[in-house]
């Protein structure tokens, strides 16, 4: 079992920045690929970014490429999502997820564990 707790969400103006954190506990964090997803009201959950267990491979949705950066610190059992140049359309609940795999995946159905989510609201 892995427990995931997100933090760092909040209200920010368009063009601003936020850094989300996801702290993991339970099984060895370093063997998990990690992902960030988001869900806006009335929309399906969508992939945002993912990172391999080592941090050597990262993937991003086209909508956030160049603005968001995913990283991890295995010594701290934490994965981060640095979000810059935020837009109102980035408003959503952001979830981190863990996949017990050496391969990075972007489908939410492949992830084994999920956090409770943190709200990000970007005002125009």
């Amino acid at each position: 079992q892995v427990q995931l707790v997100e933090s760092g969400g909040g209200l920010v103006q368009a063009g601003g920045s936020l850094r989300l954190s996801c702290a993991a506990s339970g099984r060895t964090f370093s063997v998990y690929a990690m992902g960030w997803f988001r869900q806006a009201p009335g929309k399906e959950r969508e992939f945002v970014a993912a990172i391999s267990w080592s941090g050597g491979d990262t993937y991003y949705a086209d909508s956030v490429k160049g603005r968001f950066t995913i990283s991890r610190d295995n010594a701290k059992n934490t994965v981060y999502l640095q979000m810059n140049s935020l837009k109102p359309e980035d408003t959503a609940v952001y979830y981190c997820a863990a996949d017990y795999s050496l391969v990075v995946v972007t489908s939410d159905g492949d992830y084994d564990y999920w956090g409770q989510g943190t709200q990000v609201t970007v005002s125009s």
Side-chain angles (χ1 to χ4, degrees):
Q1 280 281 34
V2 174
Q3 293 77 43
L4 303 172
V5 179
E6 302 97 333
S7 61
L11 174 64
V12 64
Q13 288 189 332
S17 298
L18 283 174
R19 188 175 82 154
L20 305 184
S21 299
C22 173
S25 60
R27 295 184 66 176
T28 305
F29 174 73
S30 61
V31 302
Y32 286 83
M34 299 295 295
W36 285 97
F37 292 79
R38 67 186 181 187
Q39 187 167 21
K43 295 187 177 181
E44 293 187 351
R45 186 164 58 192
E46 64 175 359
F47 169 76
V48 175
I51 189 167
S52 63
W53 66 276
S54 66
D57 292 315
T58 56
Y59 294 87
Y60 297 93
D62 288 342
S63 59
V64 307
K65 204 171 292 183
R67 300 188 298 122
F68 290 12
T69 302
I70 189 171
S71 62
R72 66 190 295 162
D73 185 338
N74 286 344
K76 296 182 178 180
N77 289 354
T78 302
V79 63
Y80 305 97
L81 185 68
Q82 178 66 45
M83 304 186 296
N84 299 328
S85 302
L86 282 162
K87 304 175 181 180
E89 51 263 44
D90 294 319
T91 295
V93 177
Y94 283 71
Y95 300 90
C96 74
D99 176 32
Y100 189 61
S101 172
L102 298 179
V103 179
V104 178
V105 294
T106 61
S107 171
D108 59 357
D110 289 322
Y111 282 81
D112 303 303
Y113 302 99
W114 293 83
Q116 84 289 348
T118 185
Q119 176 70 47
V120 171
T121 303
V122 184
S123 63
S124 58

